[in-house]
Amino acid sequence: MTQEQNTKPASWHATTIVLVKKNGKTVIAGDGQVSLGQTIVKANAKKVRRLGKGDVIAGFAGATADAFTLFERLEGKLEQYPGQLTRACVELAKDWRMDRYLRRLEAMMLVADREVGLTLTGAGDVLEPEAFEHGSVAAIGSGGNFALAAARALLDQPIEADVIAKRAMEIAADICVYTNRNIVLESI
């Protein structure tokens, strides 16, 4: 190992977040693990929460301080554009891309209200997940692809959105070393 490799700081790894929309119910679930390199530094972090007046749910993957900054900015946009989650997210994405300070933030978010679920990224993306016959799913984070695949496979089964989200998170936790089974779930 070279001196440069040896002094490189360990990177933070966190998390898996999944969004499931089915039968008029929207659920966002996330795990609680935060890892620094190969070490779990926290097992019960809360990365899913309600925003605004409780009519928006959100989950984040990435740096915690960055995510809280984005949550605060999104709440400000929701106050500016009440009842217009998509517009609030687009305005946040514009700021995220244009503002010199916000551009450095390293996080992704899943947000939803009763009408829409969205993925927000620092690249300026505001993406609504593809709708399938039985609903839609989205996922982010280190175990996001595992949770996404599991949720899609379960979407056409006769089970509710919260059960799908929980089971998808459990499957991701079984595969991804940066995801655990301390699941926080919010629904709308």
Side-chain angles (χ1 to χ4, degrees):
M1 186 179 292
T2 67
Q3 178 68 21
E4 183 180 306
Q5 290 171 322
N6 195 25
T7 59
K8 185 178 178 184
S11 61
W12 289 92
H13 292 280
T15 200
T16 301
I17 306 291
V18 67
L19 177 149
V20 179
K21 290 180 72 69
K22 184 176 180 180
N23 297 333
K25 187 174 188 181
T26 303
V27 175
I28 295 179
D31 76 307
Q33 183 169 310
V34 177
S35 303
L36 179 59
Q38 297 176 352
T39 304
I40 298 169
V41 293
K42 187 167 185 171
N44 62 348
K46 188 176 180 210
K47 305 168 199 168
V48 176
R49 60 195 61 230
R50 290 186 174 277
L51 298 178
K53 296 179 170 86
D55 54 349
V56 172
I57 54 177
F60 72 88
T64 306
D66 293 353
F68 283 119
T69 299
L70 292 168
F71 279 162
E72 288 174 8
R73 295 286 182 124
L74 180 56
E75 284 189 311
K77 297 296 182 185
L78 290 168
E79 287 175 14
Q80 193 175 354
Y81 305 104
Q84 301 177 63
L85 179 60
T86 301
R87 173 116 190 248
C89 288
V90 167
E91 295 301 322
L92 175 63
K94 285 182 193 175
D95 290 352
W96 199 348
R97 290 287 295 150
M98 304 294 269
D99 185 277
R100 193 173 196 173
Y101 167 74
L102 292 178
R103 259 188 305 211
R104 295 187 184 132
L105 299 182
E106 296 182 19
M108 291 179 73
M109 299 170 62
L110 291 178
V111 298
D113 63 11
R114 292 194 187 282
E115 285 79 45
V116 68
L118 301 166
T119 302
L120 281 74
T121 74
D125 299 312
V126 179
L127 304 168
E128 188 171 0
E130 186 175 353
F132 297 101
E133 180 182 351
H134 299 283
S136 60
V137 297
I140 57 173
S142 55
N145 287 337
F146 305 122
L148 179 67
R152 279 189 179 177
L154 295 169
L155 200 57
D156 66 350
Q157 299 301 306
I159 51 179
E160 293 302 316
D162 55 340
V163 176
I164 293 171
K166 186 173 188 299
R167 187 67 188 119
M169 290 298 301
E170 291 169 345
I171 291 168
D174 289 345
I175 300 169
C176 178
V177 297
Y178 300 113
T179 302
N180 69 17
R181 288 176 169 256
N182 292 340
I183 298 167
V184 173
L185 191 138
E186 289 284 350
S187 62
I188 241 175

